[in-house]
Amino acid sequence: SLLYTKSIKVEQFENYSFKFIMCYPDETFSYVSNLNDDTLAESEKFTMERLPNVIREIAPDLMLMQAFGFETCGKYRRIFENIGNPSIFMGPKTDLHLISNDKALTRKALESCGLASAMAPGIVVSEENRDCVHDLPFQFPVIVKVPTLEDSKGVTKCLDKDFMLTALDMALELGESAVIEKFITGKELRTGVIEDENGDLTLLGIIEYDVEPTSIRDYDMKFGSGKDSTGREQIKYHLGSLQFVDQIKEAKVVEKVKDVVFSTFRAMDIQDWAVFDLRMADKGNVYVLEINLFNCFGEFGLITRLARSVGIANSKCFDMMAKKALRRIKKTNNGVNILSSLQFHGDISA
C-alpha cells in the first residue's frame, strides 16, 4: 500500500491538498502531511479510538483508500464509513470491494445478475459440498483457486483428478471455500473501465500478457526474485513494460472485450472504475477471471497506465472521479460537507 501511495505525485492535482492517515497492523495510526521516510519515522502513533477526533480535525472532503485485500480493505473502509458517510470514498462502494476481493463471491454475484456466461464454467466448493467434485460438469484441465488470495497465490492448473483433489485440499486449508473452473486455452488480457460524469463508460487500454495459450500467469511471472537497490524484492509486474493491444488493428478483440466488461460493470452496479482480468479463448469468447477495484492514481497505478495508453491524462481522470464523488456527497447530505482525506479547492460544477 505504501509503495502505491508514494507513487502519487500530488503536485499534478492542482485543486487538491492531500493528508495521509497511515494505519498499522498493531491497531494504531499516524496522521502525516507527506510520506517521506523521515516524516513517517518521526510521526506520532495513536490508538484507533482517537481516529474520529482526528478526522473531524482534518475536515476532509473525500477519501481515497490505498489499502487493498479482502480483510484490510473491508476493515478500514468500514471504520472510516462509520465515522462519516459511505459516499465519502472515491471509487466503487465498499460492498463491491468485498465481493471483488473474493472470487467465489464474484462468481455468485455474476450468476445472480444473469451473467454466469461471463465467467468460465465453474463451481464453488466447500467442505460441505466437496463430493460434487467427483462429477464435474466440465472436462480437464481445470483451475483451482483460493478465492481471497491475490497475485495468483493459491491458483493451480490441474491436468487430472488426482492433482485436482490435492490442490483442493490445499485450497481448503487456506480458505473456507475454493473455486474450480474449466481452464480456458487462449490469451490472457487485462483492461480497465472508467465511468464519466454522465454515466457513460470508456474502455481503457487492453494489455495482452506474454503467456502461452496453455499456461497461466502465475505468481512467479508477476513477481521477480531479484532485489532492487534497497534490497527489496523487485516487482516485475508493475515496473516492467506493458504490451497493449492495437485497438485499431484488433477491432474485433476490442468489441468482444468491451461487450463483456461493460455488461459486467453495469450488472454489478460498479461506479467510477474497475480493472478486469480476462481470458480470451481460441474461438474468441471472452471470460472474466477476476475484477480489481483498487486504484491509487500514482505512477504504479494500473488505471493510470491503462488510461494514459488511450490518451487520458492521470490528472484529468482523477479530477473527474473526485468531482463525481463530491456530487454524490452533496446529493446524500443535502449540501452538507463531510469528512475525508482530500480537500478540494475548486468548483465541482466546472
Side-chain angles (χ1 to χ4, degrees), residues 141-169:
V142 301
I143 300 293
V144 176
K145 299 178 180 179
V146 180
T148 57
L149 292 185
E150 299 176 326
D151 299 317
S152 295
K153 294 177 183 176
V155 177
T156 308
K157 180 183 177 185
C158 306
L159 300 179
D160 55 50
K161 185 175 181 179
D162 288 341
F163 194 10
M164 179 195 70
L165 293 175
T166 300
L168 179 61
D169 287 339

Side-chain angles (χ1 to χ4, degrees), residues 129 159 173 234 237 241 260 277 284 291-292 322 327 342 349:
N129 72 334
L159 300 179
E173 288 179 3
Q234 186 83 6
Y237 170 72
S241 61
V260 169
D277 287 331
I291 304 169
N292 186 346
R327 290 190 184 97
L342 299 178
S349 65

Side-chain angles (χ1 to χ4, degrees), residues 12 21 25 31 42 55 57 75 85 93 100 117 153 156 174 195 207 243 251 267 271-272 279-280 326 342-343:
Q12 68 180 294
I21 293 178
Y31 161 49
E42 297 170 2
I55 291 293
E57 177 186 337
K75 173 182 178 180
N85 182 305
K93 300 171 185 176
S100 70
S117 61
K153 294 177 183 176
T156 308
L174 295 170
E195 182 186 47
I207 299 167
Q243 301 301 316
Q271 65 185 21
D272 294 350
R279 196 83 184 186
M280 182 174 230
L326 288 167
L342 299 178
Q343 290 180 322

Side-chain angles (χ1 to χ4, degrees), residues 18-302:
F18 287 71
K19 304 294 182 182
F20 302 92
I21 293 178
M22 295 283 296
C23 298
Y24 300 95
D26 62 358
E27 302 293 322
T28 62
F29 74 93
S30 60
Y31 161 49
V32 294
S33 59
N34 64 70
L35 297 176
N36 294 333
D37 291 340
D38 291 342
T39 301
L40 293 175
E42 297 170 2
S43 63
E44 182 180 1
K45 289 187 177 182
F46 305 97
T47 61
M48 297 304 289
E49 288 77 11
R50 291 280 303 276
L51 186 59
N53 289 336
V54 171
I55 291 293
R56 294 187 185 99
E57 177 186 337
I58 299 172
D61 297 308
L62 293 172
M63 297 191 90
L64 178 63
M65 176 61 73
Q66 295 297 280
F68 57 95
F70 184 78
E71 181 177 354
T72 306
C73 177
K75 173 182 178 180
Y76 285 108
R77 284 181 70 101
R78 289 300 190 205
I79 289 174
F80 285 106
E81 286 177 347
N82 287 335
I83 296 171
N85 182 305
S87 299
I88 197 170
F89 282 103
M90 296 170 62
K93 300 171 185 176
T94 299
D95 288 346
L96 282 173
H97 275 274
L98 295 176
I99 290 172
S100 70
N101 282 326
D102 185 321
K103 299 174 186 68
L105 290 179
T106 301
R107 175 171 287 276
K108 291 177 180 178
L110 286 173
E111 289 173 352
S112 70
C113 295
L115 280 178
S117 61
M119 305 191 83
I123 57 174
V124 178
V125 182
S126 64
E127 290 290 356
E128 288 72 24
N129 72 334
R130 66 178 298 157
D131 287 346
C132 70
V133 304
H134 297 293
D135 188 23
L136 292 176
F138 41 84
Q139 297 180 333
F140 288 91
V142 301
I143 300 293
V144 176
K145 299 178 180 179
V146 180
T148 57
L149 292 185
E150 299 176 326
D151 299 317
S152 295
K153 294 177 183 176
V155 177
T156 308
K157 180 183 177 185
C158 306
L159 300 179
D160 55 50
K161 185 175 181 179
D162 288 341
F163 194 10
M164 179 195 70
L165 293 175
T166 300
L168 179 61
D169 287 339
M170 296 174 60
L172 292 177
E173 288 179 3
L174 295 170
E176 295 181 356
S177 64
V179 173
I180 302 177
E181 62 186 30
K182 179 177 176 58
F183 173 72
I184 304 298
T185 300
K187 300 176 180 180
E188 188 150 336
L189 309 173
R190 174 172 268 196
T191 190
V193 175
I194 58 173
E195 182 186 47
D196 68 17
E197 301 94 325
N198 300 317
D200 295 327
L201 303 183
T202 297
L203 183 71
L204 305 182
I206 302 173
I207 299 167
E208 180 178 344
Y209 288 109
D210 185 17
V211 179
E212 291 294 326
T214 56
S215 300
I216 62 173
R217 187 167 167 263
D218 59 18
Y219 181 84
D220 290 336
M221 292 187 68
K222 294 181 179 182
F223 295 88
S225 58
K227 305 294 181 178
D228 62 16
S229 59
T230 67
R232 295 177 179 175
E233 185 172 310
Q234 186 83 6
I235 303 177
K236 291 181 179 178
Y237 170 72
H238 288 291
L239 302 182
S241 61
L242 301 179
Q243 301 301 316
F244 288 95
V245 170
D246 187 317
Q247 295 202 18
I248 296 177
K249 293 181 180 179
E250 301 286 347
K252 290 184 179 179
V253 171
V254 172
E255 285 305 310
K256 289 182 178 181
V257 168
K258 181 187 292 186
D259 181 58
V260 169
V261 298
F262 279 18
S263 297
T264 304
F265 195 101
R266 294 300 192 203
M268 298 273 293
D269 194 26
I270 301 172
Q271 65 185 21
D272 294 350
W273 63 69
V275 171
F276 295 88
D277 287 331
L278 309 165
R279 196 83 184 186
M280 182 174 230
D282 290 338
K283 294 182 179 180
N285 294 338
V286 175
Y287 300 94
V288 176
L289 297 178
E290 61 181 278
I291 304 169
N292 186 346
L293 303 181
F294 175 79
N295 185 14
C296 79
F297 289 105
E299 291 304 301
F300 294 159
L302 193 59

